Amino acid sequence: MGGMGYDQQVSDWLNEVQKSRGADPDTTLVYCKKIEEYAREQKDEWLLGYAFYHSGEVYYLHNDFEQMFHSMFRSLSYLEHTGQYGLLVRGYNILAITAMNQGNAPFALDYYLKGLSYCEKYCLFDVGIMIRINIGTLYNNCGEYNQASRYLEEGYVLLQQHREIPEYYNALMSIYIGMVNSCIHRQQLDRAMEYIRRFHSECEEFMQEEDRLVFACSQARVFHLQGKVRQRDDAIAMVHTLVNQQMPVLDIFDDLYEYCLMLLELERYEELRYLLEQLEAMAQKAEAGNMRKRILTLKARVCLREGDEVCYRKITVQLFELEEVLEKDRQRMVLHMLSVRNELEESQRHRRRIEQENRRLFKRSQTDSLTGLANRFHLNSYVAESFARAQERGEALGIEILDIDYFKQYNDNYGHQAGDICIRQIARILQKMEDKGDIFCARYGGDEFIVIYESCSREDVEQWTKELRQEIEELGLRHEFSQAGSLVTISQGLCFDTPATEDTVEDFLLAADRLLYQVKEQGRNNIRIGDCGRSGDEKEPLKETGIQ
């Protein structure tokens, strides 16, 4: 439904969510709750997916990961089932970021790749760029720097093809920082400096505080490796000016952690402890256990460097207690993941059942129930398309109308059941004809059929019409009440011509009908082929073909 078609109250709620998201989380949650309650009453899956997603987004931005998981996992099956693929992919992206920061890289990659598959299938370029950047970050964290560069470069190429997206500069900054990190680990410091220069010159006016912080961290690390002490220290001073606990910890943690490792190497313990306290407070507030584990591990290394065994033992106990909590968190995440996968698989099975039923109903709507051939409804669309193709290509097209000779007498004397059997046997021959080339057969009504011949020569058409007539005679169906012979036979009129610009399908059908009428006037059980009748020079009828 796409959010359209709701009454004024629901539309107002949806608008309030869009206005408040990211700016006023309390208001967003209030209206999400209203939408959720209404959607449950109405059993509206579109609204449920929308409400759960936006609630989860609020919880993510405010580092409430328990609530985020609860809302986001509930949203996925509804979003998938109702085709809200943009939100679905963003949901997978948020889950992946969270999983990565909780130390579950395999889960994170699984979520990212699932989201990326939807991006490619539904051309969601903006989210596809973001996910490629995040996969690059994941590979950087796992030490796969070549893979990281590959995804970041793919994201950059795609970003340049879609410079119109609102998140252009945010994405560009993330790509440049990701490439700096990758280059640092591969000791490609000149390339790292090139990306820093590009970051500064292209993105300066678009930087927020967290962007400036991350940029300063990267500068400090590169300057340190280059031995540029003054520039490094200026960058360090900038980091400590910018860092604050209100920043979204998931967006800055990896860069700050790498920066902390540099401070450890420099033995700048006072600055390092201050920064670790800031990070630990953010991680505790966010209940991000894996982040806390990495911070405590780094604090333990500082204690060892300084020879503070009491502090080291205290941190070791904290790490042990934290590991028990993390194990429970991992188990809970696995259960969440299995649960949502089961829901998604059930949703997909449900959708496949609906699609199969729709295909079955569509096929029934286009198929004649007695013969299995295309019905008149299907014929109308097909003949219009084939006629347009022939006009566009300047190719000849054949439209044949045929009917069974003296079929009324057959029905009246042998009964309607025998008449149906007769029609089905002729239909089977027509179905086999469709394997010979670009031939389409349909039941026109009663005992009349239409055959359309595309991309073929007049000689081919003449041969196929003769074979059709002969095969029907060879069925050997007795018809003692026919004036055209003792067996069931057919009469055929075929318009074969190259459609001119001014021609219509009706012109060809009228010409074929006129040719069929001429066959009937001359005794039936015969074939007549002619053109559309623009010039009045009808072709001679084919010679009658007797039964061997």
Side-chain angles (χ1 to χ4, degrees):
M1 192 175 295
M4 303 299 291
Y6 290 111
D7 62 27
Q8 189 60 51
Q9 184 183 56
V10 176
S11 297
D12 289 344
W13 293 342
L14 294 171
N15 289 332
E16 288 296 334
V17 170
Q18 290 303 313
K19 284 195 301 184
S20 63
R21 64 185 290 257
D24 186 351
D26 292 335
T27 298
T28 305
L29 289 175
V30 166
Y31 284 103
C32 283
K33 189 66 177 176
K34 290 178 183 289
I35 293 169
E36 179 191 338
E37 290 172 355
Y38 174 85
R40 288 190 183 283
E41 291 175 5
Q42 302 298 318
K43 295 183 171 56
D44 189 318
E45 294 188 343
W46 192 96
L47 287 176
L48 282 171
Y50 181 94
F52 286 138
Y53 169 80
H54 285 287
S55 296
E57 184 183 59
V58 170
Y59 294 130
Y60 165 76
L61 292 173
H62 288 268
N63 302 324
D64 187 344
F65 298 128
E66 182 66 28
Q67 289 279 26
M68 184 280 293
F69 273 121
H70 181 69
S71 294
M72 203 61 76
F73 276 126
R74 293 168 77 189
S75 77
L76 295 182
S77 60
Y78 292 121
L79 295 174
E80 204 272 346
H81 190 213
T82 57
Q84 297 181 77
Y85 299 116
L87 295 185
L88 177 67
V89 169
R90 290 178 184 276
Y92 275 122
N93 185 57
I94 287 173
L95 288 170
I97 294 170
T98 310
M100 184 62 197
N101 283 289
Q102 290 190 339
N104 289 298
F107 282 1
L109 186 59
D110 187 64
Y111 289 136
Y112 280 140
L113 294 178
K114 185 72 171 175
L116 199 57
S117 69
Y118 282 103
C119 290
E120 293 173 350
K121 184 174 181 179
Y122 297 104
C123 300
L124 303 171
F125 304 115
D126 52 346
V127 200
I129 292 164
M130 180 169 59
I131 289 181
R132 284 177 172 85
I133 294 169
N134 291 339
I135 294 177
T137 301
L138 184 152
Y139 276 121
N140 265 335
N141 291 342
C142 295
E144 293 285 344
Y145 306 118
N146 291 331
Q147 281 284 73
S149 295
R150 180 172 75 83
Y151 274 99
L152 290 166
E153 286 165 3
E154 283 182 11
Y156 180 80
V157 169
L158 194 57
L159 183 63
Q160 297 313 305
Q161 294 170 355
H162 299 279
R163 296 174 66 92
E164 74 285 354
I165 65 173
E167 303 90 350
Y168 175 80
Y169 284 101
N170 287 334
L172 188 63
M173 287 187 278
S174 297
I175 289 170
Y176 285 159
I177 291 299
M179 292 304 295
V180 168
N181 290 332
S182 182
C183 290
I184 287 173
H185 286 291
R186 290 185 292 174
Q187 297 297 308
Q188 297 173 342
L189 300 183
D190 289 342
R191 285 192 67 193
M193 278 304 302
E194 175 59 26
Y195 284 116
I196 284 176
R197 282 191 288 270
R198 287 164 69 174
F199 187 107
H200 189 270
S201 64
E202 297 174 34
C203 308
E204 170 69 27
E205 63 181 294
F206 303 99
M207 287 192 221
Q208 303 296 321
E209 272 204 352
E210 55 263 34
D211 302 318
R212 295 184 187 280
L213 173 65
V214 168
F215 181 60
C217 288
S218 297
Q219 280 186 307
R221 291 169 62 208
V222 175
F223 290 144
H224 169 61
L225 292 172
Q226 290 178 323
K228 297 179 179 179
V229 176
R230 183 179 60 79
Q231 293 96 321
R232 179 201 67 197
D233 288 347
D234 287 345
I236 288 174
M238 178 64 69
V239 170
H240 286 264
T241 300
L242 291 170
V243 70
N244 70 77
Q245 294 182 20
Q246 303 308 311
M247 290 180 172
V249 65
L250 294 187
D251 294 342
I252 63 173
F253 182 83
D254 289 321
D255 297 283
L256 277 173
Y257 184 80
E258 292 286 345
Y259 171 81
C260 286
L261 291 176
M262 180 197 72
L263 293 180
L264 179 67
E265 182 182 336
L266 291 170
E267 298 183 351
R268 297 177 71 152
Y269 300 132
E270 184 176 344
E271 292 160 313
L272 177 56
R273 275 193 292 268
Y274 169 77
L275 198 56
L276 289 176
E277 292 300 326
Q278 298 293 311
L279 277 175
E280 188 169 19
M282 285 188 271
Q284 283 181 321
K285 182 181 177 182
E287 298 181 4
N290 191 65
M291 289 182 184
R292 285 197 61 219
K293 179 181 176 182
R294 292 169 70 186
I295 294 164
L296 287 171
T297 301
L298 199 50
K299 289 174 76 172
R301 291 172 66 182
V302 173
C303 293
L304 283 176
R305 291 278 189 95
E306 294 185 318
D308 189 341
E309 292 186 10
V310 174
C311 176
Y312 178 76
R313 284 196 295 271
K314 180 181 177 182
I315 292 174
T316 302
V317 172
Q318 289 179 308
L319 279 169
F320 176 78
E321 292 172 347
L322 180 59
E323 185 57 41
E324 290 185 322
V325 174
L326 287 175
E327 181 58 31
K328 291 178 181 178
D329 286 344
R330 282 191 286 269
Q331 290 174 0
R332 188 165 61 251
M333 178 177 279
V334 170
L335 290 175
H336 276 310
M337 190 172 184
L338 291 174
S339 174
V340 76
R341 282 191 169 176
N342 286 336
E343 287 186 25
L344 285 172
E345 286 173 4
E346 179 56 36
S347 174
Q348 288 166 354
R349 283 193 293 269
H350 177 68
R351 192 181 69 253
R352 283 195 294 269
R353 287 194 296 269
I354 291 174
E355 288 172 352
Q356 288 169 355
E357 180 64 15
N358 287 339
R359 283 195 296 269
R360 188 180 68 82
L361 292 173
F362 181 70
K363 186 176 180 181
R364 283 181 60 185
S365 73
Q366 294 198 313
T367 304
D368 176 65
S369 58
L370 177 64
T371 63
L373 291 172
N375 60 16
R376 194 159 183 166
F377 173 76
H378 190 185
L379 169 67
N380 289 341
S381 60
Y382 185 90
V383 72
E385 292 167 4
S386 60
F387 192 84
R389 283 192 293 269
Q391 277 184 320
E392 182 181 347
R393 299 169 183 169
E395 294 179 347
L397 180 72
I399 297 183
E400 173 185 355
I401 302 178
L402 66 94
D403 65 12
I404 302 169
D405 294 327
Y406 298 103
F407 185 71
K408 182 178 184 305
Q409 289 78 359
Y410 190 93
N411 244 355
D412 290 346
N413 288 280
Y414 294 108
H416 290 286
Q417 186 174 1
D420 288 348
I421 292 171
C422 173
I423 287 173
R424 278 200 293 267
Q425 288 186 280
I426 290 173
R428 278 198 287 271
I429 294 173
L430 289 169
Q431 285 170 331
K432 286 191 289 185
M433 275 191 69
E434 292 182 323
D435 297 331
K436 295 180 179 180
D438 288 333
I439 300 175
F440 175 86
C441 302
R443 188 181 182 198
Y444 200 43
D447 63 313
E448 277 192 316
F449 300 87
I450 286 197
V451 184
I452 298 171
Y453 303 89
E454 285 191 79
S455 305
C456 52
S457 66
R458 181 182 172 91
E459 291 73 22
D460 288 334
V461 170
E462 289 177 355
Q463 181 63 32
W464 288 331
T465 54
K466 285 193 291 185
E467 289 175 0
L468 173 60
R469 178 171 169 240
Q470 183 174 337
E471 285 182 36
I472 288 172
E473 288 193 48
E474 288 175 352
L475 285 172
L477 297 174
R478 298 297 303 171
H479 191 352
E480 298 172 1
F481 306 94
S482 171
Q483 296 177 33
S486 59
L487 299 174
V488 168
T489 58
I490 59 171
S491 295
Q492 299 161 266
L494 189 147
C495 174
F496 185 83
D497 208 339
T498 301
T501 305
E502 67 273 14
D503 289 338
T504 65
V505 171
E506 288 72 22
D507 294 331
F508 273 58
L509 286 168
L510 287 171
D513 194 54
R514 185 176 66 251
L515 292 160
L516 176 61
Y517 180 77
Q518 292 171 8
V519 172
K520 291 181 176 182
E521 285 286 293
Q522 295 169 6
R524 309 197 187 204
N525 188 18
N526 207 339
I527 306 164
R528 191 170 181 84
I529 299 178
D531 64 17
C532 182
R534 288 184 301 275
S535 60
D537 58 341
E538 254 179 34
K539 278 61 176 180
E540 289 299 315
L542 290 174
K543 285 185 180 180
E544 187 173 327
T545 304
I547 301 172
Q548 301 297 320

